[in-house]
Amino acid sequence: MNFASLPDRRAESTPDGPALSDGRQSLTNAELLRRVLAAARRLQQLGIGSGDVVALKLTNRIEFVLLLFAAWRLGATITPVNPSMTDSEVERQLHDSGARLLVVEDGATAAAVATLTVDDLDGRVMGPDPAPHVDSSALALLIYTSGTTGVPKGVMLDHSNLDAMAGMLGQALELAPADRCLLILPLFHVNGILISVLTPLLAGASVFVADRFSPETFFDVVEHARPTYFSAVPTIYSMLAALPADLRPDTSSLRYGVCGAAPASAELLTRFEARYGFPLIEGYGLSEGTCASTVNPLAGPRRAATVGLPLPGQQVRIVDERGAELAPGIDGEVIVRGPNVMRGYLGRPEETAKSIVDGWLRTGDVGHLDEEGYLTLVGRSKDMIIRGGENIYPKEIEDVLTSDPSVLEAAVIGVPDDKWGELVVAYVQPRPGASVDPEALTALTARHLSGYKRPTSFVVVDVIPKNAVGKIDKVAVRAMHAAASRS
């Protein structure tokens, strides 16, 4: 199967069946196909064809989904762009991906890349309807994720990856045509695209595209749209759990909520279900594995504090530093294998070879399997920070901070936070004879980093701790911060 032809098959099967809605417009399957064909002709008019890359710098809206299918119909690739990124971050992604077109909402332009405003997407373009470009090996998505070096890398996912993942998720989540997904996670994440759009549409279900998430209005949307499930991160569930106790929304349409992107406490999962009457199904995965690798079963026992069992068609192992498989209960690196594993990192064969070894994706995450195969995560390799489900790699922030002439070294760590999971804190060491101005660093990071990556505080220290070989000792920095917080 290739998603390029999915709108055609839905329109042929149930032309009047519901496909997409956002509260302002609703599309049947036949209308979805008509809009996709119009968008494809528009892209074709702009010279987009097989092998080209189209960048989407859009908030969640129906047009994002239309452009996915329109680009795939032409054999093109989509690279989603976070709308909150700075101009320099956007330019870097456009350059690395080789994008030929950038689609925006506000008429902004980008150097050396043609730009299309989304309002111009439906301009009348005459001509024959392009037939679906059906090739399972064609590159479908370029999802940018930061590596341990802090340099964003393009995760290459082809149509066979998407097909495999959507099939696995549809089976694990027991989706059927009567289901309706409420999309609240951003579409520039693979989670939003796969779990909340492609998987339900492949299963014959429909999608309601919500505006930006707000805990105060979320259940109003649920009562209006009547979804059967949605996917969110622990931070969102924490916000909903903290709503006033007298709030009693109608959640009778919901079968479950999917919880992923960061670990959730067993206490949160239990408290949420007791209050709102529907379970949270926790899972685990990463962009390099096309979104998900494990999930707690709907029918079988859901084990709090675990991220469940491998999805059908995937294998999960725990190995030591030499790659030897470890026994149940022993912590080691989590590795996964299956048709969902990415093609590789765009233009980075050496990093691809380090990440995919003999078909196994090395996740860098640390955990263990129990006797029944449930996966428990106990830590993250390197120093990645997860704030509200967003992955943050300290080196990218440290590189910005050390560009300030007053900063000799910087060490960025994540510190626990009840709302966001973790917050970003930066320790900085001044250059000899210099004085660090935290306000200047705040302005510097605002110019170069997305909001969620910016440190919430700067701690100026005489010396940043080092280990025996002279490298910054993040363990010691975290211990220093914990001690200061207690005093």
Side-chain angles (χ1 to χ4, degrees):
M1 205 287 294
N2 184 290
F3 276 98
S5 60
L6 180 59
D8 304 72
R9 286 182 284 112
R10 286 182 62 105
E12 181 180 358
S13 173
T14 51
D16 296 326
L20 291 172
S21 176
D22 62 3
R24 293 175 291 273
Q25 55 180 325
S26 296
L27 302 182
T28 65
N29 289 323
E31 290 166 338
L32 170 64
L33 176 59
R34 178 181 60 79
R35 294 282 299 277
V36 167
L37 290 171
R41 291 195 300 270
R42 186 76 172 97
L43 294 181
Q44 199 171 47
Q45 181 188 53
L46 294 171
I48 300 301
S50 178
D52 290 330
V53 175
V54 176
L56 305 184
K57 186 185 177 187
L58 302 173
T59 56
N60 284 11
R61 54 191 298 163
I62 280 179
E63 289 81 4
F64 192 112
V65 182
L66 299 178
L67 284 161
L68 280 178
F69 289 115
W72 293 340
R73 194 174 194 89
L74 301 176
T77 304
I78 290 290
T79 185
V81 178
N82 184 342
S84 70
M85 290 203 305
T86 63
D87 290 345
S88 60
E89 290 171 319
V90 173
E91 293 287 351
R92 181 171 57 190
Q93 181 171 335
L94 295 177
H95 174 75
D96 189 78
S97 66
R100 289 198 57 198
L101 178 69
L102 172 65
V103 183
V104 299
E105 292 177 338
D106 55 8
T109 60
V113 177
T115 304
L116 173 68
T117 302
V118 73
D119 290 339
D120 297 331
L121 182 62
D122 284 334
R124 184 175 295 276
V125 179
M126 305 305 293
D129 293 330
H133 185 278
V134 181
D135 179 2
S136 62
S137 65
L139 188 60
L141 289 174
L142 267 175
I143 302 292
Y144 275 78
T145 180
S146 294
T148 56
T149 63
V151 178
K153 298 176 292 189
V155 174
M156 297 188 293
L157 303 177
D158 59 27
H159 281 276
S160 64
N161 291 141
L162 303 191
D163 183 30
M165 177 52 58
M168 294 172 183
L169 287 169
Q171 181 179 343
L173 298 178
E174 301 179 6
L175 296 183
D179 280 302
R180 186 176 221 196
C181 179
L182 174 62
L183 168 68
I184 59 173
L185 291 182
L187 282 170
F188 58 80
H189 274 190
V190 73
N191 188 310
I193 295 175
L194 261 299
I195 294 182
S196 300
V197 176
L198 298 186
T199 296
L201 291 181
L202 179 65
S206 61
V207 177
F208 187 94
V209 182
D211 291 329
R212 186 183 182 95
F213 170 78
S214 166
E216 289 76 22
T217 61
F218 174 76
F219 285 113
D220 292 335
V221 178
V222 168
E223 292 177 351
H224 167 71
R226 305 295 293 168
T228 59
Y229 83 100
F230 65 97
S231 178
V233 298
T235 295
I236 287 178
Y237 291 116
S238 294
M239 291 178 178
L240 295 176
L243 289 172
D246 59 355
L247 177 69
R248 291 289 184 268
D250 178 4
T251 62
S252 59
S253 68
L254 287 166
R255 296 169 53 207
Y256 52 80
V258 178
C259 183
S265 68
E267 185 274 336
L268 171 62
L269 300 176
T270 302
R271 177 162 49 93
F272 189 97
E273 182 172 354
R275 175 171 181 182
Y276 291 116
F278 62 91
L280 300 186
I281 309 300
E282 193 173 14
Y284 158 77
L286 59 167
S287 298
E288 289 87 342
T290 320
C291 184
S293 287
T294 68
V295 69
N296 268 280
L298 289 177
R302 300 192 311 274
R303 297 189 177 176
T306 82
V307 290
L309 298 166
L311 285 168
Q314 291 192 54
Q315 295 174 273
V316 176
R317 288 181 179 175
I318 307 298
V319 298
D320 62 18
E321 61 276 7
R322 299 183 303 275
E325 187 170 5
L326 297 172
I330 305 299
D331 289 336
E333 183 181 7
V334 181
I335 62 173
V336 301
R337 183 167 69 177
N340 56 297
V341 171
M342 67 173 179
R343 181 190 298 182
Y345 296 115
L346 178 67
R348 291 173 168 84
E350 292 183 359
E351 293 190 53
T352 298
K354 292 178 182 177
S355 296
I356 304 176
V357 180
D358 296 328
W360 289 90
L361 175 65
R362 302 193 60 171
T363 70
D365 292 314
V366 179
H368 62 262
L369 296 170
D370 65 16
E371 293 288 351
E372 285 73 40
Y374 285 75
L375 175 64
T376 297
L377 298 175
V378 298
R380 300 188 302 277
S381 70
K382 308 301 187 285
D383 299 309
M384 186 176 72
I385 300 165
I386 299 182
R387 177 192 182 277
E390 297 281 1
N391 292 348
I392 303 170
Y393 287 84
K395 190 173 186 301
E396 182 181 9
I397 306 169
E398 291 161 355
D399 287 346
V400 171
L401 294 175
T402 53
S403 70
D404 186 286
S406 69
V407 176
L408 177 64
E409 290 184 308
V412 171
I413 61 172
V415 300
D417 181 76
D418 290 339
K419 178 178 181 181
W420 295 106
E422 288 184 298
L423 295 177
V424 180
V425 172
Y427 278 70
V428 293
Q429 179 179 333
R431 292 184 180 274
S435 177
V436 172
D437 179 4
E439 291 187 4
L441 296 184
T442 298
L444 177 68
T445 55
R447 291 194 301 271
H448 294 283
L449 298 169
S450 302
Y452 69 90
K453 299 177 186 176
R454 300 169 194 164
T456 58
S457 63
F458 298 88
V459 182
V460 182
V461 294
D462 293 333
V463 177
I464 291 177
K466 308 289 197 307
N467 62 19
V469 294
K471 294 184 178 179
I472 291 176
D473 187 346
K474 291 289 183 72
V475 174
V477 175
R478 294 188 189 95
M480 181 195 315
H481 186 85
S485 300
R486 290 193 297 267
S487 61

